[in-house]
């Protein structure tokens, strides 16, 4: 079974500073990778996804992520954060399993706290 | 506008009562999912359904039940057997093999 590890449960950062949220997964087969954002008391919203092709993926709100197959990582980055980026961020992996289709596995989440 | 709706947004119930959370989607998605989220924690899968009239248990199905009589609807019942039901409940849907999931706004259930 696959697993997803978000290495930091909380990331405090000052406004306009760069940020990286780390995500590692364990799977020996081809995967699809996602980053979701959750604002307080709301559902999850898709930030970006990697399906195939270029390993650098750009998403909404100025976020981007890089797929590194050799390191099984999919870290999320933003060059300059805003107060409004304060939220919970979830990395997720979709892997094809025989008989059950693709199941989505989520990491434990990283709380990004942007300080003025 | 296509999307997923969950109702109500906030729900209060007394101990020992069953309660049903609604989830409706008009995205024509085949698969639907229920997750539970506790404060500061990730998502845990309760039940999922890949086709009408069929559903499977997720990681924490005990104390919950679901039905999938229509493609658009996947209601979740939290029964009195669920020992600690206070949580935020999220419904999602997806289509195709990639399983990109689209989420509803969530229902916050509080047991008094």
């Amino acid at each position: 079974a696959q697993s997803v590890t978000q290495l930091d449960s909380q990331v405090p950062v000052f406004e306009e500073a760069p940020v990286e949220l780390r995500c590692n997964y364990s799977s020996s087969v081809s995967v699809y990778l996602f980053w979701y954002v959750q604002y307080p008391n709301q559902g999850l919203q898709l930030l970006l996804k990697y399906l195939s092709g270029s390993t650098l993926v750009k998403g909404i709100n100025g976020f981007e992520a890089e797929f590194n197959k050799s390191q099984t990582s999919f870290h999320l980055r933003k060059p300059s954060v805003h107060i409004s980026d304060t939220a919970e961020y979830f990395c997720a992996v979709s892997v094809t399993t025989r008989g059950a289709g693709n199941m989505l596995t989520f990491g434990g989440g990283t709380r990004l706290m942007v300080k003025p | 506008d296509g999307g997923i709706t969950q109702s109500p947004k906030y729900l209060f119930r007394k101990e020992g009562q069953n309660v049903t959370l609604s989830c409706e989607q008009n995205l024509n998605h085949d698969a639907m999912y229920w997750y539970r989220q506790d404060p500061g924690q990730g998502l845990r899968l309760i039940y999922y359904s890949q086709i009408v009239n069929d559903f499977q248990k997720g990681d924490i199905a005990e104390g919950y039940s679901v039905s999938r009589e229509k493609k658009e609807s996947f209601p979740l019942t939290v029964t009195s057997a669920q020992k600690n039901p206070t949580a935020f409940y999220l419904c999602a849907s997806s289509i195709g093999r990639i399983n990109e999931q689209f989420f509803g706004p969530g229902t916050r259930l509080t047991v008094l």
Side-chain angles (χ1 to χ4, degrees):
Chain A
Q2 66 272 19
S3 66
V4 181
T5 303
Q6 292 185 239
L7 296 154
D8 305 295
S9 59
Q10 295 186 54
V11 174
V13 63
F14 286 105
E15 194 174 18
E16 297 183 7
V19 71
E20 178 180 82
L21 306 183
R22 298 179 292 169
C23 173
N24 285 89
Y25 65 93
S26 64
S27 176
S28 59
V29 298
S30 295
V31 297
Y32 305 112
L33 298 155
F34 306 87
W35 274 100
Y36 288 87
V37 60
Q38 183 182 34
Y39 299 103
N41 290 313
Q42 295 186 27
L44 275 67
Q45 178 185 357
L46 183 69
L47 267 181
L48 50 79
K49 59 188 174 186
Y50 171 79
L51 305 181
S52 65
S54 173
T55 56
L56 183 63
V57 180
K58 294 190 182 297
I60 62 172
N61 300 342
F63 284 93
E64 63 181 31
E66 185 155 19
F67 169 55
N68 188 320
K69 188 175 182 178
S70 62
Q71 297 187 7
T72 59
S73 68
F74 191 53
H75 300 332
L76 181 70
R77 301 185 183 101
K78 186 169 183 178
S80 175
V81 294
H82 302 288
I83 294 287
S84 60
D85 292 323
T86 295
E88 189 89 18
Y89 291 79
F90 291 96
C91 181
V93 173
S94 175
V95 176
T96 301
T97 54
R98 249 178 221 179
N102 276 36
M103 296 306 294
L104 200 59
T105 301
F106 287 87
T110 297
R111 181 171 299 277
L112 177 63
M113 300 174 292
V114 182
K115 300 182 282 187
Chain B
D1 273 344
I4 303 176
T5 57
Q6 291 185 242
S7 61
K9 178 72 174 173
Y10 298 96
L11 188 56
F12 299 89
R13 79 151 211 220
K14 294 180 180 179
E15 271 193 51
Q17 289 181 334
N18 290 357
V19 64
T20 298
L21 282 59
S22 168
C23 177
E24 304 276 333
Q25 54 99 0
N26 61 4
L27 300 168
N28 199 33
H29 285 175
D30 295 312
M32 297 187 73
Y33 309 81
W34 274 105
Y35 294 93
R36 170 181 172 139
Q37 187 177 29
D38 293 285
Q41 297 191 26
L43 283 70
R44 292 186 289 171
L45 183 64
I46 305 172
Y47 267 99
Y48 64 100
S49 167
Q50 294 181 318
I51 195 169
V52 174
N53 292 322
D54 188 41
F55 48 82
Q56 283 77 40
K57 293 182 179 180
D59 301 320
I60 56 164
E62 185 176 349
Y64 299 97
S65 66
V66 293
S67 63
R68 186 85 187 278
E69 297 176 2
K70 298 186 299 181
K71 189 175 185 177
E72 308 80 41
S73 178
F74 191 41
L76 173 74
T77 297
V78 185
T79 74
S80 56
Q82 170 51 234
K83 299 302 179 191
N84 185 20
T86 294
F88 191 53
Y89 291 88
L90 287 161
C91 179
S93 69
S94 72
I95 190 168
R97 62 183 181 87
I98 292 173
N99 200 10
E100 175 184 343
Q101 292 186 12
F102 296 79
F103 284 81
T107 292
R108 184 165 298 281
L109 172 64
T110 302
V111 174
L112 304 172

